[in-house]
Amino acid sequence: QVQLVDTGGGMVQAGGSLRLSCVASGLNFENYVMGWFRQAPGKEREFVAAISWSSNTTPYADAVKGRFTISRENTKNTVYLQMNSLKPEDTAVYYCAGARRFYPTTAVSQYNAWGQGTQVTVSA
């Protein structure tokens, strides 16, 4: 059974850092573009970052560019999101997601495997 387990969320002060991890099982990890999305209360789920199987292509949302870094270790079936210089507006539930594609997509609808979400709260 396909399973994505995303962990690493928590509460931090503005300017702090967190590293999210997502471990995939039940799929051929190399065939999947992986991504991170976030959803704040009352808002739609939005794209944060994505990464190709080779890690050569890594699009980022403008709001996080320069602060967040996505990476993956295919031998460990794991994708990471390093979040630095966190801001209160980064507060959201963060979801790991997978899409069986060879090129990253920013569209929520193109992802068909999702983690359960991990809460990130950034206080001022």
Side-chain angles (χ1 to χ4, degrees):
Q1 184 174 345
V2 175
Q3 185 176 27
L4 303 181
V5 180
D6 37 21
T7 59
M11 180 176 288
V12 298
Q13 298 288 98
S17 298
L18 285 172
R19 191 189 194 195
L20 307 184
S21 298
C22 174
V23 180
S25 61
L27 52 78
N28 293 126
F29 194 64
E30 293 82 359
N31 292 335
Y32 280 75
V33 163
M34 300 300 296
W36 289 95
F37 293 77
R38 66 187 183 185
Q39 188 166 20
K43 295 186 177 181
E44 295 184 354
R45 192 166 299 187
E46 66 177 358
F47 170 77
V48 175
I51 187 167
S52 63
W53 76 269
S54 65
S55 300
N56 288 332
T57 306
T58 55
Y60 293 91
D62 288 342
V64 307
K65 193 173 298 182
R67 299 187 297 120
F68 292 9
T69 302
I70 189 171
S71 61
R72 67 192 291 169
E73 293 185 88
N74 291 335
T75 57
K76 297 181 179 179
N77 288 357
T78 302
V79 61
Y80 306 95
L81 184 68
Q82 178 66 46
M83 305 184 295
N84 298 326
S85 301
L86 283 162
K87 305 175 181 180
E89 52 262 45
D90 295 319
T91 295
V93 177
Y94 283 71
Y95 296 90
C96 174
R100 196 170 181 272
R101 306 169 62 92
F102 63 85
Y103 194 83
T105 175
T106 64
V108 170
S109 63
Q110 295 299 307
Y111 289 81
N112 52 21
W114 292 88
Q116 81 284 358
T118 183
Q119 176 71 48
V120 172
T121 302
V122 185
S123 60

